[in-house]
Amino acid sequence: MLRYILYRICMIIPILLLASFIIFYLLRLNNTDPVAQYLINSNLPSTPEVIAAVRHEFGLDKPIFEQYMLWLQKAVVLDFGKSYMSDRDVWGDFVHYLPNTLLLACFAFLLTILTSIPLGIIAAYYRDRIPDFLIRFICFIGVCIPNFWFAFLLIMLFSLTLGWLPALGADGLHSFILPAISIAFMSICVNIRLIRMNMLEVSKERHILYAYLRGLNKKHITYKHIFYNAMLPIITALGMHFGELIGGALIIESIFAIPGIGYYSLQGIANHDYPIIQCFVLIMCLVFSLCNLIIDICYAALDPRIRKNMEDSHVL
């Protein structure tokens, strides 16, 4: 297992290199120019001399590949350059804003697990009955409503109408309740439908029929046999949900004015601030790669067939 983990960690490196080069190249192929935005924000004249001086200062006058190699040499030591707009160290700002985003993502992820798993089991257990219909109706609404629109509805109800929770800022854990619900709601609904579908598929297997014929209790069969055997696809979905929750913070943090990397990166995107965008994309690629690694490790730990295949392929 250790050899497999080391192998997967090594595979992350070329993925990050490829992703960094693609985003670096695409940013410079579009029609936006960070120099123009910088001159507007700095109240500087847009003369050819000033534009040339700023482009030279940012290193944008060099060939693209040379720019990438210079950026990569610094990125490997976590030096992502300075923001074009604020002249602050990008990595230092990300480290400063990251705790709020991680707290929000972990809160939303915990909410997804604690809500979707029991509701998915209930929906499968009471198939085509009233609890199932109610849960499926809520899930249908959840996958149709964008998270930013759902966030506005929560603010209107719980902040403006009832006054129970704050609408802006990150002043204590209660400030993260509405943002976490906004991000997690769609993931909860998707996960409930996935759990229900997988459990209903597993319930058709022959060993489940034998369990009923042996006279085992229905609840025991549901939890110990059906749910356990339906866990692998659920683990995959949960692993991907964590990355999606961090990505969803890009909009939700801006709506709730939470100082996290999503709010910070959205400002960078609005200002065409290349160092901020490149750092954010690289972090997201790393998060999804680590989520995939954790999922594969969980697979090998839960399913002996997967461990056997790894041993046969000499990966472990």
Side-chain angles (χ1 to χ4, degrees), residues 14-167:
I15 293 174
L16 295 179
L17 286 174
L18 180 62
S20 65
F21 179 75
I22 291 175
I23 188 62
F24 196 95
Y25 192 70
L26 290 178
L27 282 174
R28 284 150 180 81
L29 282 181
N30 61 23
N31 295 323
T32 59
D33 188 0
V35 174
Q37 189 68 36
Y38 173 80
L39 295 177
I40 293 173
N41 292 346
S42 303
N43 293 321
L44 294 175
S46 299
T47 62
E49 295 79 11
V50 174
I51 293 175
V54 174
R55 290 185 67 85
H56 179 72
E57 180 185 352
F58 292 165
L60 298 174
D61 56 343
K62 298 180 176 63
I64 292 180
F65 189 74
E66 184 179 348
Q67 292 182 42
Y68 175 72
M69 293 306 298
L70 291 173
W71 175 83
L72 184 62
Q73 291 175 7
K74 296 180 179 180
V76 294
V77 292
L78 300 180
D79 181 4
F80 293 94
K82 293 186 177 181
S83 167
Y84 292 163
M85 304 302 156
S86 65
D87 199 36
R88 292 169 54 88
D89 180 64
V90 171
W91 179 246
D93 284 344
F94 266 84
V95 172
H96 174 72
Y97 291 121
L98 187 60
N100 284 331
T101 300
L102 287 179
L103 179 60
L104 176 59
C106 291
F107 194 1
F109 186 68
L110 183 63
L111 185 64
T112 300
I113 294 176
L114 295 180
T115 307
S116 64
I117 291 179
L119 289 179
I121 294 174
I122 292 172
Y125 187 82
Y126 294 100
R127 177 185 181 182
D128 294 334
R129 284 186 273 178
I130 293 179
D132 183 29
F133 287 131
L134 290 176
I135 292 173
R136 287 162 60 187
F137 177 72
I138 294 173
C139 291
F140 175 77
I141 296 175
V143 297
C144 294
I145 299 179
N147 56 10
F148 64 88
W149 178 246
F150 187 62
F152 287 128
L153 295 178
L154 292 178
I155 290 174
M156 289 177 59
L157 177 61
F158 293 102
S159 297
L160 301 181
T161 303
L162 299 177
W164 291 353
L165 295 169

Side-chain angles (χ1 to χ4, degrees), residues 5 8 35 50 52 58 75 113 129 136 141-143 173-174 191 201 241 261-262 265 274 284 298:
I5 296 174
R8 288 299 307 273
V35 174
V50 174
F58 292 165
I113 294 176
R129 284 186 273 178
R136 287 162 60 187
I141 296 175
V143 297
L173 290 178
H174 64 288
N191 216 43
E201 287 295 324
H241 283 324
I261 62 172
S265 300
Y274 289 171
M284 291 306 302
C298 292

